[in-house]
Amino acid sequence: RIQTAHDVLLELRWIGEGVSHPSREAQQMPGWRSRWALAIGILAAVALVAAGVAAWQASKRDEAPFRAQRFELQPPEGVRITASGGSGALAISPNGEWVAFRGVTGDPGRALYLRSTRELGARLVSPATADPNTPFFSPDSKWLAFAAGGYLQKVPVAGGEPRRICEVRELDVRGASWGDDGTILFALQKGLLRVSAEGGKPEVITVPSPGARHRWPHVLPGSRAALFVVHRGFSDSWRDVAVISLEDGRIETLAAGTSSRYAAGQLVYSHLGILHAAPFDSRRLKLTGQPKAVLSDVYFYSGSAYTGFDIDASGSLVYMPGAERVRENELVWLDREGEVSTFLAERRSYDSARVSPDGKRIAVVIYTSFEDFDLWIHEIEERRWNRLTFCKRVARPVWSPDGEWIIFSSGETGHFTLQRIRADGTGSPEPLTPRGSEWEYPGGISPRDGVVLFQRQTDDTHWNLLAIPLHGGGAEQIFLATPTLEAWPSFSPDGRWVAYESFETGQREIHARPYPGPGPRVTISVDGGTAPFWSRDGRELYYRRGKEVWAASVATGESFKAAPPRRLFRADFMLEGWAQSIDVAPDGRFLVVRHPPEAMPERRLVYVPRWTEELKRMRATAE
């Protein structure tokens, strides 16, 4: 029998040369006919062996999971891909040819860019001045739509000027999807709304229950139904993927998670930045298999439940790697030129940090896990720590002017509501406002009458500014309420004026108003500003602009005067957005959380063609 390819070679050489094979000399077949008959038989045997090997290899290939290729999509030179914070940041066109993403250059403004999946290079499609967000494509991939400047807008992918679809008024649209029936489904605080892609007045589709939000809609093929997220709290412990029939309004819960997509028979959604997939019947609106975790380390913003991924009609995936993690960092001092000096050598997962009125203590939030964070006090001279809360999920501590109390937001029930606690640790936290379904964050406490000024998000508006007595004995009072955002109020040291952040001009700016009012609005910032706070003597008003700190010299009293603002310094280790706090000490130094470089990664876009085919093979192999 032929055992190896070497045996085959010897047999053929023996036949071709007409020489007797040593091992078969006694059985040699006479004549050339016999030799060639034997050769044909050997060749047939070789062919059968080769066919068997090929079949075996093919069967092994079928057994191995299909692995789609991965490609990184580069932004234009000088542009950094930026995470979104609370709003959407990327989208892939249904035909898979285009990826839209938010990018930022040296200026704090952001813009939308288009990147081809088949060619190099990307191009700008929207101006940075409007801070566009939540990109999404038309079903024929000819239009890119987005939210910017208080409107839903659309722009031709081939090039052209943006066109307004409808007014949205709110600062952030929490998801939008363009159905193949020519309508757009989008999410605001009041619920899901629908509008014609040609423009018109939006129609309210859902009205969430008190305290809930409906976000991140995704219209299914045929526009008969849509996926969306029921958002009842700040973490995925209070979120579900649901589906709504757009014909009769019936809603069914599908899975615990957020940011869902349907493609190639698969429902894909996120849970804490890990993508899960399950077979889904888009006609019966039912899962037909158990969800399985399929991809980790995807960018995830816990506050709004946004996850950075999208899938085209054929099942190709684009996503932003880099899940948010709890990382150790440092507390540092910065002088007015931005020079850094160490405050605490001990590295922990610090978040918001505030200096006491006498400058001797620090109130700081420290994370123990991704979803648990509590309030601690650090006594500077004694270098001693004192923990004030346990499992309260604390955010935004604020000192009372006498240093005896700390006001903070507690998210232990899923919504952040105001509580107070004595700074010396005696006693337990006490609710300051009713435990409702709203979202509340403290801003400042008046040195004149002990009134706490705070912001509240409600179902019918964005954020309002309200006041409540620190020690009880009075009802809530509205300080400022408009249909747009007002946030982060801060009392001047004399208690006569309140600085705050507003979106009423079409971008975030810093304004001041007399307290308790009425009185004129004075605009402080130029070209944008967030999170205002005062110097301890009241002669300067500071605010953030991206990673920069700006200052305006002010004079307060019966009237308010402000000089043109000037930039003090830029600190690239500060996180952008509402999560990062900065405070000023009585000696004029700034207390800042310095995050390590790995906490601020260069964002990337990864493109995975035929990704859902990989999911199907993985599931088939597992089963």
Side-chain angles (χ1 to χ4, degrees), residues 3 18 24 27 84 104 119 121 124 145 231 241 301 316 400 416 425 434 453 483 495 508 564 617:
Q3 300 293 326
R24 303 190 179 186
Q27 306 176 25
S84 64
V104 61
E119 300 175 0
L124 181 72
H231 176 103
V241 175
Y301 185 78
S316 295
S400 64
F416 283 95
L453 203 57
R508 296 176 188 265
R617 298 288 185 92

Side-chain angles (χ1 to χ4, degrees), residues 87-110:
S87 55
L90 64 89
I92 187 170
S93 61
N95 64 6
E97 292 188 6
W98 298 97
V99 171
F101 62 91
R102 295 215 307 174
V104 61
T105 58
D107 297 324
R110 297 171 177 83

Side-chain angles (χ1 to χ4, degrees), residues 5 55 65 147 161 194 202 368 371 385 412 420 431 442 495 505 515 553 568:
E161 293 298 318
R194 181 167 54 191
T368 52
E371 294 191 323
W385 285 101
E412 60 183 326
R420 68 175 187 175
T505 62
Y515 182 82
S553 297
L568 292 184

Side-chain angles (χ1 to χ4, degrees), residues 94 139 176-185 192 194 216-228 241-247 250 252 254 260-268 278-287 311-313:
S177 180
W178 193 324
D180 49 23
D181 64 348
T183 64
I184 293 171
L185 195 65
L192 300 181
R194 181 167 54 191
W216 312 117
H218 175 66
V219 180
L220 295 173
S223 299
R224 295 175 45 254
L227 303 169
F228 70 102
V241 175
V243 61
I244 179 173
S245 168
L246 298 177
E247 297 176 334
R250 179 172 50 90
E252 297 286 346
L254 299 176
S260 54
R261 290 290 186 272
Y262 171 80
Q266 298 283 315
L267 170 68
V268 181
F280 181 71
D281 188 327
S282 61
R283 296 193 61 83
R284 295 191 299 123
L285 307 180
K286 300 287 185 182
L287 294 178
I311 307 174
D312 70 14

Side-chain angles (χ1 to χ4, degrees), residues 317-375:
L317 167 75
V318 62
Y319 73 98
M320 185 182 295
E324 297 294 332
R325 295 184 176 89
V326 175
R327 294 182 172 92
E328 291 187 343
N329 46 46
E330 299 175 274
L331 284 173
V332 297
W333 294 113
L334 274 69
D335 63 18
R336 293 178 64 86
E337 285 71 43
E339 293 295 322
V340 178
S341 58
T342 300
F343 169 47
L344 290 177
E346 180 183 6
R347 292 171 61 92
R348 302 180 74 173
S349 298
Y350 306 115
D351 191 59
S352 302
R354 303 295 294 268
V355 184
S356 65
D358 59 9
K360 296 181 178 181
R361 293 169 293 172
I362 304 294
V364 59
V365 175
I366 300 178
Y367 276 73
T368 52
S369 72
F370 190 75
E371 294 191 323
D372 285 306
F373 30 101
D374 280 289
L375 179 62

Side-chain angles (χ1 to χ4, degrees), residues 59-109:
S59 68
K60 287 300 181 183
R61 284 195 299 269
D62 290 340
E63 292 174 7
F66 170 79
R67 172 99 173 150
Q69 292 180 298
R70 268 72 172 162
F71 303 93
E72 187 169 325
L73 302 180
Q74 297 291 342
E77 186 176 354
V79 175
R80 292 185 294 108
I81 296 171
T82 178
S84 64
S87 55
L90 64 89
I92 187 170
S93 61
N95 64 6
E97 292 188 6
W98 298 97
V99 171
F101 62 91
R102 295 215 307 174
V104 61
T105 58
D107 297 324

Side-chain angles (χ1 to χ4, degrees), residues 264-447:
Q266 298 283 315
L267 170 68
V268 181
Y269 64 93
S270 166
H271 184 78
L272 292 177
I274 299 174
L275 296 192
H276 292 68
F280 181 71
D281 188 327
S282 61
R283 296 193 61 83
R284 295 191 299 123
L285 307 180
K286 300 287 185 182
L287 294 178
T288 58
Q290 291 299 314
K292 296 183 181 296
V294 294
L295 183 64
S296 61
D297 196 36
V298 180
Y299 171 77
F300 168 72
Y301 185 78
S302 179
S304 69
Y306 173 72
T307 307
F309 80 99
D310 198 9
I311 307 174
D312 70 14
S314 68
S316 295
L317 167 75
V318 62
Y319 73 98
M320 185 182 295
E324 297 294 332
R325 295 184 176 89
V326 175
R327 294 182 172 92
E328 291 187 343
N329 46 46
E330 299 175 274
L331 284 173
V332 297
W333 294 113
L334 274 69
D335 63 18
R336 293 178 64 86
E337 285 71 43
E339 293 295 322
V340 178
S341 58
T342 300
F343 169 47
L344 290 177
E346 180 183 6
R347 292 171 61 92
R348 302 180 74 173
S349 298
Y350 306 115
D351 191 59
S352 302
R354 303 295 294 268
V355 184
S356 65
D358 59 9
K360 296 181 178 181
R361 293 169 293 172
I362 304 294
V364 59
V365 175
I366 300 178
Y367 276 73
T368 52
S369 72
F370 190 75
E371 294 191 323
D372 285 306
F373 30 101
D374 280 289
L375 179 62
W376 296 67
I377 298 295
H378 180 73
E379 299 178 20
I380 297 176
E381 292 182 358
E382 293 82 1
R383 299 183 180 181
R384 183 169 55 226
W385 285 101
N386 182 21
R387 184 172 182 172
L388 296 191
T389 67
F390 293 83
C391 303
K392 285 293 184 179
R393 292 170 172 160
V394 171
R396 295 282 173 176
V398 174
W399 290 89
S400 64
D402 58 11
E404 293 185 5
W405 293 88
I406 297 177
I407 312 301
F408 62 91
S409 289
S410 172
E412 60 183 326
T413 62
H415 295 84
F416 283 95
T417 55
L418 294 193
Q419 297 192 20
R420 68 175 187 175
I421 190 171
R422 289 192 174 275
D424 61 6
T426 59
S428 301
E430 305 169 3
L432 192 62
T433 54
R435 286 179 179 264
S437 56
E438 296 87 2
W439 298 71
E440 301 168 343
Y441 295 100
I445 302 175
S446 171

